[in-house]
Amino acid sequence: EWPPRRRHVLATGGRDQAIRIWNVQTGFDLSEKRRANGVDPPPNLAAIHTMAAVARVAWRTTSQRCNDSSRAHWNNHIASASSLLDRRVHLWDFARPNIPMLSLQGAHRDALTGILWTAQAQEILCCSKDGVISRLRLRDGRRVVTDLPVGAVDINVYEEVAYNLDAIDRKFGLEHHHD
């Protein structure tokens, strides 16, 4: 998937359960630094490790006519669909790649075969092998981060307990613009 406003950037997904962002002009990451042993780094700029093999990716973008600077962070948003059992579309932010911003569920009974953003980038159209086309609205998506626990506990071999209870930032900057 080629983003419309980044000339030398490409997003790919694969069976390795990762979305990778590549700089196809230089073949290296933005810093173009070498590893300590002198070997060139892998040519991908970033990677998001997903829960399943990735069949489709789609950059979130606005129409060419829109010059709204408040949507600049959308350049870091990408939607993905799995090639296997997961019939949801996940929206990722490269600024926070460890967990999807949103998960969206359509009325599909089989694997997704295509995803496409609508012009205003507030909805995703997706289709599947079962012949169903769904319109998924971002405002109806499940914010995955709200399901995360805010604490952890562990015990060691000496029966000592360690715990952490902390408040976490559950905001993702997913603004809804109504044009």
Side-chain angles (χ1 to χ4, degrees):
E1 171 82 7
W2 298 94
R5 292 183 185 90
R6 291 185 179 176
R7 209 171 155 178
H8 303 291
V9 174
L10 173 68
T12 61
R15 293 189 304 190
D16 63 349
Q17 298 180 337
I19 301 168
R20 299 190 190 280
I21 308 302
W22 305 88
N23 182 334
V24 296
Q25 182 180 26
T26 65
F28 298 107
D29 64 16
L30 289 176
S31 65
E32 295 196 23
K33 295 180 181 173
R34 295 183 182 270
R35 293 184 189 154
N37 62 6
V39 177
D40 289 330
N44 59 299
L45 301 176
I48 291 178
H49 298 281
T50 65
M51 290 80 62
V54 179
R56 301 283 181 261
V57 294
W59 289 99
R60 184 180 191 190
T61 184
T62 57
S63 66
Q64 295 292 339
R65 296 177 306 229
C66 181
N67 293 320
D68 186 352
S69 63
S70 68
R71 298 180 184 186
H73 66 280
W74 288 5
N75 290 330
N76 293 330
H77 294 177
I78 194 163
S80 71
S82 169
S83 62
L84 300 172
L85 303 175
D86 187 5
R87 295 182 295 269
R88 296 172 292 177
V89 173
H90 300 286
L91 179 60
W92 301 90
D93 184 347
F94 280 97
R96 197 172 187 179
N98 298 322
I99 188 164
M101 292 173 57
L102 291 174
S103 287
L104 303 141
Q105 180 73 47
H108 302 286
R109 294 181 309 273
D110 208 341
L112 299 179
T113 56
I115 55 177
L116 175 70
W117 285 95
T118 59
Q120 296 302 316
Q122 294 299 320
E123 297 177 324
I124 297 174
L125 300 175
C126 59
C127 58
S128 64
K129 288 182 180 179
D130 59 13
V132 173
I133 297 175
S134 293
R135 176 180 279 170
L136 308 174
R137 294 183 300 222
L138 295 187
R139 67 175 176 244
D140 297 334
R142 193 180 111 239
R143 292 183 181 266
V144 180
V145 73
T146 60
D147 296 337
L148 293 177
V150 294
V153 65
D154 198 8
I155 189 167
N156 67 16
V157 294
Y158 303 107
E159 297 182 6
E160 298 170 330
V161 176
Y163 67 93
N164 179 30
L165 295 174
D166 199 5
I168 61 172
D169 180 10
R170 295 182 185 268
K171 299 177 191 131
F172 269 109
L174 183 69
E175 296 86 343
H176 296 288
H177 297 277
H178 302 287
D179 299 324

PDB file of all heavy atoms in Angstrom, residues 57-73:
ATOM      1  N   VAL A  57      -3.469  -4.070   4.096  1.00  0.00           N
ATOM      2  CA  VAL A  57      -3.208  -2.850   4.842  1.00  0.00           C
ATOM      3  C   VAL A  57      -3.736  -1.680   4.032  1.00  0.00           C
ATOM      4  O   VAL A  57      -3.802  -1.746   2.802  1.00  0.00           O
ATOM      5  CB  VAL A  57      -1.702  -2.643   5.162  1.00  0.00           C
ATOM      6  CG1 VAL A  57      -1.199  -3.705   6.117  1.00  0.00           C
ATOM      7  CG2 VAL A  57      -0.870  -2.603   3.908  1.00  0.00           C
ATOM      8  N   ALA A  58      -4.119  -0.608   4.727  1.00  0.00           N
ATOM      9  CA  ALA A  58      -4.619   0.597   4.052  1.00  0.00           C
ATOM     10  C   ALA A  58      -4.298   1.808   4.917  1.00  0.00           C
ATOM     11  O   ALA A  58      -4.688   1.862   6.088  1.00  0.00           O
ATOM     12  CB  ALA A  58      -6.123   0.502   3.802  1.00  0.00           C
ATOM     13  N   TRP A  59      -3.575   2.785   4.354  1.00  0.00           N
ATOM     14  CA  TRP A  59      -3.236   4.015   5.054  1.00  0.00           C
ATOM     15  C   TRP A  59      -4.486   4.860   5.271  1.00  0.00           C
ATOM     16  O   TRP A  59      -5.316   4.987   4.371  1.00  0.00           O
ATOM     17  CB  TRP A  59      -2.260   4.855   4.234  1.00  0.00           C
ATOM     18  CG  TRP A  59      -0.882   4.309   4.144  1.00  0.00           C
ATOM     19  CD1 TRP A  59      -0.358   3.593   3.113  1.00  0.00           C
ATOM     20  CD2 TRP A  59       0.148   4.434   5.112  1.00  0.00           C
ATOM     21  NE1 TRP A  59       0.944   3.272   3.382  1.00  0.00           N
ATOM     22  CE2 TRP A  59       1.283   3.784   4.607  1.00  0.00           C
ATOM     23  CE3 TRP A  59       0.221   5.049   6.356  1.00  0.00           C
ATOM     24  CZ2 TRP A  59       2.474   3.722   5.294  1.00  0.00           C
ATOM     25  CZ3 TRP A  59       1.421   4.984   7.050  1.00  0.00           C
ATOM     26  CH2 TRP A  59       2.527   4.325   6.522  1.00  0.00           C
ATOM     27  N   ARG A  60      -4.577   5.472   6.422  1.00  0.00           N
ATOM     28  CA  ARG A  60      -5.650   6.430   6.684  1.00  0.00           C
ATOM     29  C   ARG A  60      -5.236   7.764   6.093  1.00  0.00           C
ATOM     30  O   ARG A  60      -4.159   8.274   6.392  1.00  0.00           O
ATOM     31  CB  ARG A  60      -5.885   6.584   8.180  1.00  0.00           C
ATOM     32  CG  ARG A  60      -7.052   7.501   8.498  1.00  0.00           C
ATOM     33  CD  ARG A  60      -7.238   7.620   9.980  1.00  0.00           C
ATOM     34  NE  ARG A  60      -8.492   8.276  10.285  1.00  0.00           N
ATOM     35  CZ  ARG A  60      -8.838   8.683  11.497  1.00  0.00           C
ATOM     36  NH1 ARG A  60      -8.013   8.482  12.511  1.00  0.00           N
ATOM     37  NH2 ARG A  60      -9.987   9.265  11.698  1.00  0.00           N
ATOM     38  N   THR A  61      -6.064   8.335   5.292  1.00  0.00           N
ATOM     39  CA  THR A  61      -5.743   9.603   4.652  1.00  0.00           C
ATOM     40  C   THR A  61      -7.032  10.365   4.383  1.00  0.00           C
ATOM     41  O   THR A  61      -8.120   9.807   4.447  1.00  0.00           O
ATOM     42  CB  THR A  61      -4.948   9.381   3.354  1.00  0.00           C
ATOM     43  OG1 THR A  61      -4.574  10.641   2.824  1.00  0.00           O
ATOM     44  CG2 THR A  61      -5.762   8.624   2.319  1.00  0.00           C
ATOM     45  N   THR A  62      -6.886  11.620   4.086  1.00  0.00           N
ATOM     46  CA  THR A  62      -8.035  12.438   3.722  1.00  0.00           C
ATOM     47  C   THR A  62      -8.037  12.624   2.218  1.00  0.00           C
ATOM     48  O   THR A  62      -7.076  12.296   1.536  1.00  0.00           O
ATOM     49  CB  THR A  62      -7.966  13.810   4.413  1.00  0.00           C
ATOM     50  OG1 THR A  62      -6.738  14.432   4.047  1.00  0.00           O
ATOM     51  CG2 THR A  62      -8.048  13.672   5.910  1.00  0.00           C
ATOM     52  N   SER A  63      -9.097  13.182   1.711  1.00  0.00           N
ATOM     53  CA  SER A  63      -9.165  13.459   0.282  1.00  0.00           C
ATOM     54  C   SER A  63      -8.118  14.495  -0.099  1.00  0.00           C
ATOM     55  O   SER A  63      -7.643  15.260   0.730  1.00  0.00           O
ATOM     56  CB  SER A  63     -10.562  13.965  -0.091  1.00  0.00           C
ATOM     57  OG  SER A  63     -10.786  15.213   0.515  1.00  0.00           O
ATOM     58  N   GLN A  64      -7.735  14.538  -1.346  1.00  0.00           N
ATOM     59  CA  GLN A  64      -6.707  15.468  -1.825  1.00  0.00           C
ATOM     60  C   GLN A  64      -7.110  16.925  -1.594  1.00  0.00           C
ATOM     61  O   GLN A  64      -6.273  17.795  -1.470  1.00  0.00           O
ATOM     62  CB  GLN A  64      -6.446  15.243  -3.321  1.00  0.00           C
ATOM     63  CG  GLN A  64      -5.855  13.895  -3.633  1.00  0.00           C
ATOM     64  CD  GLN A  64      -4.437  13.747  -3.110  1.00  0.00           C
ATOM     65  OE1 GLN A  64      -3.754  14.718  -2.863  1.00  0.00           O
ATOM     66  NE2 GLN A  64      -3.998  12.517  -2.923  1.00  0.00           N
ATOM     67  N   ARG A  65      -8.414  17.226  -1.545  1.00  0.00           N
ATOM     68  CA  ARG A  65      -8.888  18.602  -1.366  1.00  0.00           C
ATOM     69  C   ARG A  65      -8.754  19.085   0.065  1.00  0.00           C
ATOM     70  O   ARG A  65      -8.808  20.262   0.334  1.00  0.00           O
ATOM     71  CB  ARG A  65     -10.353  18.699  -1.784  1.00  0.00           C
ATOM     72  CG  ARG A  65     -10.572  18.413  -3.246  1.00  0.00           C
ATOM     73  CD  ARG A  65     -12.042  18.470  -3.524  1.00  0.00           C
ATOM     74  NE  ARG A  65     -12.742  17.578  -2.609  1.00  0.00           N
ATOM     75  CZ  ARG A  65     -13.645  16.698  -2.962  1.00  0.00           C
ATOM     76  NH1 ARG A  65     -13.989  16.568  -4.217  1.00  0.00           N
ATOM     77  NH2 ARG A  65     -14.231  15.933  -2.090  1.00  0.00           N
ATOM     78  N   CYS A  66      -8.597  18.183   1.013  1.00  0.00           N
ATOM     79  CA  CYS A  66      -8.570  18.560   2.422  1.00  0.00           C
ATOM     80  C   CYS A  66      -7.157  18.998   2.820  1.00  0.00           C
ATOM     81  O   CYS A  66      -6.204  18.257   2.670  1.00  0.00           O
ATOM     82  CB  CYS A  66      -9.008  17.387   3.302  1.00  0.00           C
ATOM     83  SG  CYS A  66      -9.013  17.803   5.045  1.00  0.00           S
ATOM     84  N   ASN A  67      -7.041  20.215   3.350  1.00  0.00           N
ATOM     85  CA  ASN A  67      -5.761  20.728   3.828  1.00  0.00           C
ATOM     86  C   ASN A  67      -5.801  20.974   5.330  1.00  0.00           C
ATOM     87  O   ASN A  67      -5.135  21.866   5.822  1.00  0.00           O
ATOM     88  CB  ASN A  67      -5.406  22.027   3.093  1.00  0.00           C
ATOM     89  CG  ASN A  67      -5.141  21.781   1.637  1.00  0.00           C
ATOM     90  OD1 ASN A  67      -4.514  20.789   1.285  1.00  0.00           O
ATOM     91  ND2 ASN A  67      -5.628  22.664   0.784  1.00  0.00           N
ATOM     92  N   ASP A  68      -6.588  20.206   6.051  1.00  0.00           N
ATOM     93  CA  ASP A  68      -6.764  20.375   7.484  1.00  0.00           C
ATOM     94  C   ASP A  68      -5.516  19.892   8.218  1.00  0.00           C
ATOM     95  O   ASP A  68      -5.210  18.702   8.243  1.00  0.00           O
ATOM     96  CB  ASP A  68      -7.996  19.579   7.932  1.00  0.00           C
ATOM     97  CG  ASP A  68      -8.344  19.799   9.389  1.00  0.00           C
ATOM     98  OD1 ASP A  68      -7.558  20.454  10.110  1.00  0.00           O
ATOM     99  OD2 ASP A  68      -9.400  19.316   9.810  1.00  0.00           O
ATOM    100  N   SER A  69      -4.759  20.809   8.822  1.00  0.00           N
ATOM    101  CA  SER A  69      -3.518  20.447   9.507  1.00  0.00           C
ATOM    102  C   SER A  69      -3.777  19.602  10.756  1.00  0.00           C
ATOM    103  O   SER A  69      -2.886  18.903  11.212  1.00  0.00           O
ATOM    104  CB  SER A  69      -2.729  21.695   9.872  1.00  0.00           C
ATOM    105  OG  SER A  69      -3.475  22.483  10.776  1.00  0.00           O
ATOM    106  N   SER A  70      -4.985  19.643  11.316  1.00  0.00           N
ATOM    107  CA  SER A  70      -5.279  18.839  12.503  1.00  0.00           C
ATOM    108  C   SER A  70      -5.325  17.354  12.171  1.00  0.00           C
ATOM    109  O   SER A  70      -5.343  16.525  13.062  1.00  0.00           O
ATOM    110  CB  SER A  70      -6.602  19.276  13.129  1.00  0.00           C
ATOM    111  OG  SER A  70      -7.679  18.951  12.281  1.00  0.00           O
ATOM    112  N   ARG A  71      -5.332  17.015  10.904  1.00  0.00           N
ATOM    113  CA  ARG A  71      -5.357  15.605  10.500  1.00  0.00           C
ATOM    114  C   ARG A  71      -3.980  15.092  10.105  1.00  0.00           C
ATOM    115  O   ARG A  71      -3.845  13.990   9.605  1.00  0.00           O
ATOM    116  CB  ARG A  71      -6.320  15.416   9.331  1.00  0.00           C
ATOM    117  CG  ARG A  71      -7.745  15.764   9.702  1.00  0.00           C
ATOM    118  CD  ARG A  71      -8.661  15.571   8.544  1.00  0.00           C
ATOM    119  NE  ARG A  71     -10.002  16.015   8.906  1.00  0.00           N
ATOM    120  CZ  ARG A  71     -11.045  15.859   8.142  1.00  0.00           C
ATOM    121  NH1 ARG A  71     -10.928  15.280   6.971  1.00  0.00           N
ATOM    122  NH2 ARG A  71     -12.226  16.274   8.522  1.00  0.00           N
ATOM    123  N   ALA A  72      -2.947  15.863  10.352  1.00  0.00           N
ATOM    124  CA  ALA A  72      -1.592  15.465   9.954  1.00  0.00           C
ATOM    125  C   ALA A  72      -1.168  14.164  10.630  1.00  0.00           C
ATOM    126  O   ALA A  72      -0.444  13.365  10.045  1.00  0.00           O
ATOM    127  CB  ALA A  72      -0.602  16.576  10.273  1.00  0.00           C
ATOM    128  N   HIS A  73      -1.626  13.923  11.872  1.00  0.00           N
ATOM    129  CA  HIS A  73      -1.249  12.694  12.573  1.00  0.00           C
ATOM    130  C   HIS A  73      -1.833  11.453  11.905  1.00  0.00           C
ATOM    131  O   HIS A  73      -1.392  10.349  12.177  1.00  0.00           O
ATOM    132  CB  HIS A  73      -1.680  12.764  14.040  1.00  0.00           C
ATOM    133  CG  HIS A  73      -3.163  12.792  14.220  1.00  0.00           C
ATOM    134  ND1 HIS A  73      -3.882  13.939  14.065  1.00  0.00           N
ATOM    135  CD2 HIS A  73      -4.034  11.813  14.523  1.00  0.00           C
ATOM    136  CE1 HIS A  73      -5.165  13.664  14.282  1.00  0.00           C
ATOM    137  NE2 HIS A  73      -5.273  12.395  14.554  1.00  0.00           N
TER     138      HIS A  73
END
